[in-house]
Amino acid sequence: MDDKYSKYFSEQSLWDKLKKFGKAAGAKVVYAVLLLYYTFEDKGVGLKTKLSIAAALGYFILPTDAIVDLTPIIGFSDDLGVLLFTLSAVAGSITPEIKAKTREKLNEWFGEIDPTELQDIDKKTF
């Protein structure tokens, strides 16, 4: 992932994007974003890993990307691709605690999520 996107990442801009588009993006995209965010926040994660995560989250936040995010489902497909690629690359840094915290936040926002909905992501990262 190109570091040019990391400049778009900030905690505030991430939460703003999730607040505005989280429901439209869907639980899968939000799950991937939160996994990366909580991994980024972990003090035990190295700088190189954090830079990769910042770039992926910056791409997610960026208002102009390959497919416009205003289009439901399809609009976030490129974002999901970038997020999944990065999750695969940093999977070794995702702890069970990060996964639990992510699922807790996801359930808070979306209600109880069908575990099969997230299986694709879990298979690529765990």
Side-chain angles (χ1 to χ4, degrees):
M1 171 100 304
D2 194 331
D3 285 336
K4 71 180 180 180
Y5 295 110
S6 62
K7 66 183 174 187
Y8 296 101
F9 172 69
S10 75
E11 186 173 350
Q12 185 61 50
S13 58
L14 177 67
W15 293 121
D16 289 347
K17 177 87 177 220
L18 286 173
K19 183 177 178 183
K20 188 171 183 180
F21 293 107
K23 293 286 185 185
K28 252 186 184 177
V29 171
V30 173
Y31 181 58
V33 167
L34 291 175
L35 279 171
L36 287 172
Y37 173 73
Y38 290 130
T39 303
F40 180 86
E41 290 291 302
D42 189 304
K43 291 179 181 5
V45 172
L47 181 61
K48 185 176 179 182
T49 299
K50 288 186 181 216
L51 288 173
S52 294
I53 292 170
L57 293 177
Y59 182 85
F60 171 74
I61 293 164
L62 186 66
T64 57
D65 54 23
I67 302 172
V68 180
D69 290 339
L70 298 175
T71 310
I73 301 169
I74 297 170
F76 289 95
S77 61
D78 63 317
D79 296 287
L80 186 57
V82 169
L83 296 168
L84 289 175
F85 175 80
T86 305
L87 279 169
S88 294
V90 304
S93 298
I94 301 172
T95 65
E97 293 80 18
I98 290 170
K99 186 177 177 185
K101 189 174 183 177
T102 299
R103 285 189 179 261
E104 184 179 310
K105 181 59 87 175
L106 196 66
N107 287 335
E108 181 183 313
W109 288 351
F110 288 90
E112 201 62 34
I113 302 291
D114 179 1
T116 60
E117 189 175 344
L118 306 176
Q119 278 180 335
D120 293 344
I121 295 173
D122 284 342
K123 285 178 185 175
K124 292 180 194 292
T125 58
F126 303 104

